[in-house]
Amino acid sequence: MIETRNFRVLRNIVLTLLTLWVAIPLYVVVSTSVKPLADVSGVFEWIPRSFTLAPYIDIWSTVPLAEYFKNSLIVAVSATFFSVIVAVLAAYSISRLAFKGKRAFSLIVLSTQMFPGIMFLLPLFLIYTQIRNVTGIQLQGSYLGLIITFMTFTLPFAIWMLTGYFASIPIELEEAAMIDGTGRMGALIRVVLPVAKPGIIAVAVYSFIAAWGEVLFASVLSNESTKTLSLGLKDYASQTDVFWNQLMAASVVVSLPVLIGFILVQKHLVAGLAAGSVK
Amino acid sequence: MSRSVIDSTPAATDSSVSAPETRIPLPPRRRRRRSPLAYWLILPAVLLELLVHLIPMVLGVWIAFISLNQLTLTNWVNAPFVGLQNFMNGLDPNSSIGQAFFATIGRTLLYTVLVVGFSWTLGMAAAVFLNSKFRGRALLRTFFLVPYALPAYVGTIAWAFMFNNRDGAINQVLVDTMGLFDGDRPFWLLGDNAFGAMVIVNVWQLWPFAFLMLMAALQNVPNDVYEAAALDGASLWQQFRTITLPMVQPANGVLLLVMSLWTFNQFNVPFVLFGATSPESATLISPLIYQNSFGSWNFGLGGAMSVLLLLVLLVASAFYIRMVLPKGKNND
């Protein structure tokens, strides 16, 4: 819009309010995480009276945070890795090859993300128990079950976004490579993937954030030894006597990996989302 | 490697020009051939979708017609078929369970309208004002996206602490600083207050998504349209209504629908805020099904509710697909 004086005044007011709205909860988390326990129980103080890093150390023994961290890392990294591979193959097929049932496949993939997780939860649990009864493969309570579940839930969006990305890459690049004797798969790996790197990174970050924050399926498909960070901290937060300063320190620690990742690839994610949604 | 490929591109183009009878140069997308490779490439995705989405969906419908409880759970294949009994029991508007179900649907709809409405308004405001150039714009843009990038449960835990009756920041401001409620410290996460608290938490997490999408859409609006309107004496509000809104309309439809479905299906926020059982004023449909299935072990009832939900969402997702997947020859 045209920048009249009114526009600028209004802009400053609105953006200040929005900044406060976003910042206050974040400030509460960070400021609480550096307070000693005595200063946290009782009326909330906006300016910490004393500063300590002890909550960042104590939380590791209050809850088995290292164990949760390990579980979440294994599950989220594997789910991201495999989800990206599966999505790249499917998206390449959709954007470059002709096949019967392509529209049906795209339709089904797209529509599944519209349904609530709760609808799949119990049936999935039953299927995993049945698979164990028949084959002995343990999917309920194991990393494998969590990884398969999480990677599939990010798949629709990943395929959709990558299909758009691949479609925007000129097909002549691959054709040139194939004329030089490279096969379809060679062209995909050596030509398309390097060009589509920003899109792939954005999809990977999206999948990682989704797996890192998942609670619903983790609550039924994990057990004590595979419990993820999200579930572990959620369970701790709902206890009656919570050391809020330590919980806030844990929140900072678990948020940093995804926040840093997000800020690094933010531009790609924004561009990718825009390309997929605005068309 | 890729450099040498790019270098060879002109040569390839030349060869296709010099031998027009072997190849039709235009349009390039018509040159696809059907091959089994296409199926091999989508196979992993198909298998995963079958295992995690499609078979569970079918099984979910089946569950609504069998008697499934704690005893029959591990041997569910042999659970007895009970026909429509789960639907009759659970969805009878005269029974307490049925009343709770229909009240929950209504409450979830209201919740969706409020959360999506507020999120859209905040997102639009931020997108419009960040679309103008000023110092610190890029920084603010990244900052506004933080609630969206944060793990969802972290944002909710932060709010749960702020809403805490005794130690929370909100009662500190409202009761201690502003002197409201005659010194009584309200319980924000219990009773009737819980609904509003949950709306606030959800808006905080969702509005950056609206901002992100609307910001992308606004970038396609050329600035000289506004200049022309301003010359004609259009006020800021008129410019917004007659230029900005119509220009973002295509993106808006998808955005509103996606946000509505996410909010209607919301589970994480109440689950982290209240635990497995929400206060009645704040019970949404997904947590209600969860409570019926995993709280009272009445899986058939949860299944029957899921099936009804499925029917509603099928209609909604048909709309969504029509907006997202353009009908065209390119889609086969």
Side-chain angles (χ1 to χ4, degrees):
Chain A
M1 287 195 197
I2 304 309
E3 296 197 25
T4 55
R5 229 188 98 237
N6 283 348
F7 179 84
R8 263 183 231 125
V9 171
L10 197 61
R11 177 176 76 193
N12 291 346
I13 296 172
V14 170
L15 291 183
T16 308
L17 289 177
L18 283 172
T19 306
L20 285 174
W21 157 245
V22 172
I24 286 174
L26 300 175
Y27 174 77
V28 168
V29 170
V30 175
S31 70
T32 306
S33 77
V34 294
K35 286 179 187 173
L37 189 60
D39 293 3
V40 184
S41 41
V43 173
F44 183 80
E45 282 160 339
W46 289 93
I47 300 173
R49 263 185 302 169
S50 44
F51 173 92
T52 171
L53 285 177
Y56 284 87
I57 297 158
D58 299 339
I59 186 64
W60 297 85
S61 47
T62 305
V63 294
L65 195 64
E67 186 72 19
Y68 296 160
F69 232 104
K70 187 192 83 186
N71 292 339
S72 270
L73 265 183
I74 292 175
V75 171
V77 169
S78 320
T80 304
F81 180 74
F82 292 113
S83 175
V84 165
I85 291 179
V86 173
V88 162
L89 297 180
Y92 185 75
S93 183
I94 293 177
S95 71
R96 287 293 190 267
L97 302 168
F99 61 93
K100 247 206 167 93
K102 185 197 278 190
R103 189 169 164 82
F105 175 71
S106 316
L107 275 175
I108 290 170
V109 166
L110 265 179
S111 57
T112 51
Q113 64 174 347
M114 291 296 97
F115 299 108
I118 187 75
M119 240 165 56
F120 305 99
L121 184 63
L122 175 66
L124 203 57
F125 176 80
L126 296 182
I127 289 168
Y128 285 180
T129 14
Q130 194 61 22
I131 289 177
R132 185 199 57 203
N133 292 347
V134 175
T135 65
I137 299 172
Q138 184 66 268
L139 289 172
Q140 198 275 321
S142 71
Y143 290 135
L144 183 63
L146 286 170
I147 292 167
I148 288 179
T149 312
F150 288 178
M151 66 181 285
T152 312
F153 275 92
T154 55
L155 211 49
F157 184 78
I159 292 177
W160 182 38
M161 199 163 139
L162 285 178
T163 304
Y165 231 96
F166 289 165
S168 68
I169 299 171
I171 205 160
E172 284 72 20
L173 286 181
E174 289 149 77
E175 286 179 342
M178 287 195 288
I179 286 166
D180 288 351
T182 318
R184 232 331 143 190
M185 294 309 288
L188 167 63
I189 293 167
R190 299 208 195 99
V191 181
V192 178
L193 289 193
V195 183
K197 211 153 116 197
I200 291 171
I201 292 173
V203 165
V205 169
Y206 164 80
S207 302
F208 188 86
I209 289 178
W212 195 249
E214 213 287 333
V215 200
L216 173 62
F217 284 84
S219 79
V220 171
L221 295 179
S222 72
N223 59 22
E224 276 311 309
S225 65
T226 53
K227 204 181 234 184
T228 57
L229 267 177
S230 51
L231 196 63
L233 290 186
K234 181 245 147 207
D235 284 353
Y236 179 70
S238 49
Q239 286 178 9
T240 37
D241 228 357
V242 180
F243 297 151
W244 284 107
N245 57 342
Q246 294 188 25
L247 185 57
M248 293 303 148
S251 298
V252 172
V253 173
V254 303
S255 302
L256 279 182
V258 283
L259 271 188
I260 293 171
F262 179 81
I263 289 168
L264 287 179
V265 304
Q266 190 230 123
K267 269 198 180 131
H268 301 314
L269 195 63
V270 173
L273 281 171
S277 69
V278 179
K279 276 194 296 204
Chain B
M1 191 67 219
S2 59
R3 172 169 290 274
S4 72
V5 169
I6 291 166
D7 288 342
S8 67
T9 309
T13 317
D14 285 344
S15 73
S16 73
V17 169
S18 65
E21 69 277 10
T22 55
R23 248 213 221 171
I24 304 149
L26 278 173
R29 278 169 203 283
R30 290 268 169 261
R31 277 186 235 136
R32 299 164 176 171
R33 251 165 282 134
R34 287 175 193 263
S35 75
L37 179 67
Y39 293 108
W40 285 110
L41 291 177
I42 64 165
L43 185 66
V46 170
L47 290 179
L48 284 166
E49 288 292 334
L50 272 176
L51 174 70
V52 179
H53 281 141
L54 298 178
I55 296 175
M57 227 145 120
V58 176
L59 182 59
V61 175
W62 173 247
I63 288 172
F65 294 95
I66 60 174
S67 171
L68 195 62
N69 52 40
Q70 240 172 324
L71 298 173
T72 48
L73 186 59
T74 44
N75 190 18
W76 58 272
V77 181
N78 298 317
F81 185 82
V82 294
L84 288 172
Q85 203 189 317
N86 287 320
F87 289 91
M88 314 272 244
N89 288 350
L91 311 171
D92 172 10
N94 298 318
S95 76
S96 65
I97 297 176
Q99 276 168 7
F101 176 73
F102 290 108
T104 303
I105 295 273
R107 190 183 303 122
T108 310
L109 282 174
L110 174 67
Y111 179 74
T112 306
V113 170
L114 289 176
V115 169
V116 173
F118 284 125
S119 300
W120 186 89
T121 309
L122 295 184
M124 189 51 137
V128 165
F129 288 117
L130 280 184
N131 203 30
S132 56
K133 287 196 171 60
F134 60 92
R135 268 170 63 103
R137 170 175 168 234
L139 192 70
L140 266 192
R141 198 172 66 178
T142 307
F143 183 67
F144 283 171
L145 292 174
V146 166
Y148 178 65
L150 220 55
Y153 64 94
V154 168
T156 312
I157 288 175
W159 278 98
F161 177 55
M162 288 176 44
F163 280 124
N164 188 291
N165 157 267
R166 197 173 44 112
D167 319 328
I170 288 176
N171 274 348
Q172 194 277 330
V173 172
L174 296 181
V175 179
D176 300 329
T177 309
M178 299 170 73
L180 300 175
F181 309 108
D182 297 327
D184 275 346
R185 308 179 82 79
F187 286 90
W188 296 108
L189 300 180
L190 297 176
D192 289 344
N193 290 334
F195 183 81
M198 186 170 63
V199 169
I200 293 178
V201 178
N202 205 348
V203 171
W204 191 78
Q205 290 180 357
L206 187 63
W207 83 274
F209 183 75
F211 162 58
L212 186 62
M213 291 300 183
L214 291 170
M215 186 173 59
L218 281 183
Q219 279 166 4
N220 301 333
V221 186
N223 209 39
D224 36 349
V225 187
Y226 292 116
E227 274 165 33
L231 277 181
D232 289 345
S235 70
L236 285 179
W237 176 247
Q238 281 170 329
Q239 290 177 34
F240 175 75
R241 258 198 32 214
T242 55
I243 302 173
T244 312
L245 267 187
M247 292 293 252
V248 298
Q249 204 46 54
N252 228 350
V254 179
L255 172 67
L256 288 176
L257 191 68
V258 170
M259 289 203 301
S260 301
L261 286 166
W262 285 348
T263 310
F264 192 79
N265 298 337
Q266 181 59 261
F267 178 83
N268 272 15
V269 170
F271 191 55
V272 177
L273 217 47
F274 312 119
T277 311
S278 311
E280 200 198 335
S281 81
T283 302
L284 303 180
I285 188 67
S286 284
L288 181 76
I289 295 175
Y290 188 87
Q291 280 164 39
N292 277 308
S293 302
F294 294 91
S296 52
W297 303 103
N298 194 345
F299 296 109
L301 182 61
M305 293 178 175
S306 290
V307 168
L308 287 193
L309 193 59
L310 176 73
L311 294 177
V312 175
L313 292 170
L314 269 179
V315 177
S317 78
F319 276 104
Y320 168 67
I321 300 287
R322 291 189 89 167
M323 285 195 233
V324 177
L325 266 193
K327 273 198 195 130
K329 294 157 209 153
N330 285 342
N331 286 303
D332 279 17

